[in-house]
Amino acid sequence: MTTFRELGVLPEICDALERAGITTPFAIQEMTLSVALMGTDLIGQARTGTGKTLAFGIPVLQRSVTPSDPAYTDMPQGKPQALIVAPTRELALQVSSDLTLASEDLGLRVLTVYGGVGYEPQLEALDSGVDIVVGTPGRLIDLANKRALDLSHVHALVLDEADEMLDLGFLPDVERLISFTPETRQTMLFSATMPSAIVALARRHLRHPMNIRAEASYENST
């Protein structure tokens, strides 16, 4: 069995995962990490529960500048380095929880934002500085419109469960969020199915993406 260490994942991330009993990657993680750690755009076709959060989460964390890196002080003060867009509050919280666990030894600040709750705590967190923002499209747009969320320095953008965002009518919001991010970013799109609107979205915004599919046999075992 391949381990995360053998795939080139940072020791700090491996240590944190091992404390939680996670040592061997799922199929989609193994396939995705080798590509994503290089900064390549990718389209991952996988259902919920296949371990895709770490498949995109580890590259997002590993390619972010951490507080222990001297370059961290040159970063735009407290501006998010990565954005992960999820269709629902539940998924956003789950993604955040996995990222927080994996980044425990890196010192990166992860913030979850979603609607249906007050703005104050989210605005305060953004004001004091965050590294990675995970959120739902509507609230992310609201915060960007309030000029509280600055996405102009994002090096990685992840669209998780893109087909569900399409079903919920979030695609116009997603397009707007993408327009706030730099063209030089790495983009990763994950979707269980690939309806034509999602294929079109990927064509417009991803550069020479690698296509990765988690096969059914693996999905049954997760």
Side-chain angles (χ1 to χ4, degrees), residues 18-68:
E18 278 167 23
R19 287 198 298 273
I22 304 166
T23 52
T24 50
F26 285 138
I28 186 146
Q29 294 166 354
E30 194 170 333
M31 291 188 282
T32 304
L33 287 171
S34 54
V35 177
L37 285 170
M38 296 188 297
T40 307
D41 283 8
L42 65 89
I43 297 168
Q45 204 168 340
R47 285 207 297 271
T48 306
T50 48
K52 65 178 162 46
T53 306
L54 289 178
F56 62 72
I58 290 172
V60 163
L61 297 172
Q62 186 149 328
R63 300 185 72 252
S64 294
V65 182
T66 61
S68 62

Side-chain angles (χ1 to χ4, degrees), residues 111 113-114 117-128 139 143 146 148:
L111 173 68
V113 301
Y114 44 81
V117 294
Y119 280 94
E120 278 315 305
Q122 297 176 4
L123 290 168
E124 280 168 22
L126 287 167
D127 195 41
S128 61
R139 179 57 62 102
L143 292 167
K146 288 182 189 301

Side-chain angles (χ1 to χ4, degrees), residues 9 26 40 44 51 54 60 64 84 89 98 113 124 129 132 134-135 160 166 186 198 205 221:
V9 177
F26 285 138
T40 307
L54 289 178
V60 163
S64 294
I84 297 162
R89 164 182 171 165
D98 287 356
V113 301
E124 280 168 22
I132 292 155
V134 184
D160 195 11
L166 170 68
Q186 175 184 23
I198 297 302
H205 300 292
S221 66

Side-chain angles (χ1 to χ4, degrees), residues 52-127:
K52 65 178 162 46
T53 306
L54 289 178
F56 62 72
I58 290 172
V60 163
L61 297 172
Q62 186 149 328
R63 300 185 72 252
S64 294
V65 182
T66 61
S68 62
D69 187 323
Y72 194 76
T73 50
D74 305 332
M75 303 282 293
Q77 222 28 63
K79 303 282 188 264
Q81 302 185 51
L83 173 67
I84 297 162
V85 188
T88 63
R89 164 182 171 165
E90 291 71 32
L91 187 63
L93 286 165
Q94 183 229 310
V95 168
S96 278
S97 149
D98 287 356
L99 289 181
T100 302
L101 178 133
S103 66
E104 214 169 84
D105 300 347
L106 294 174
L108 292 168
R109 298 161 295 178
V110 181
L111 173 68
T112 326
V113 301
Y114 44 81
V117 294
Y119 280 94
E120 278 315 305
Q122 297 176 4
L123 290 168
E124 280 168 22
L126 287 167
D127 195 41

Side-chain angles (χ1 to χ4, degrees), residues 1 6 50 79 81 104 140 167-168 176 189 203 221:
M1 288 293 261
E6 287 163 356
T50 48
K79 303 282 188 264
Q81 302 185 51
E104 214 169 84
L140 287 167
D167 294 343
L168 292 169
R176 274 209 73 196
L189 180 148
R203 283 215 180 105
S221 66

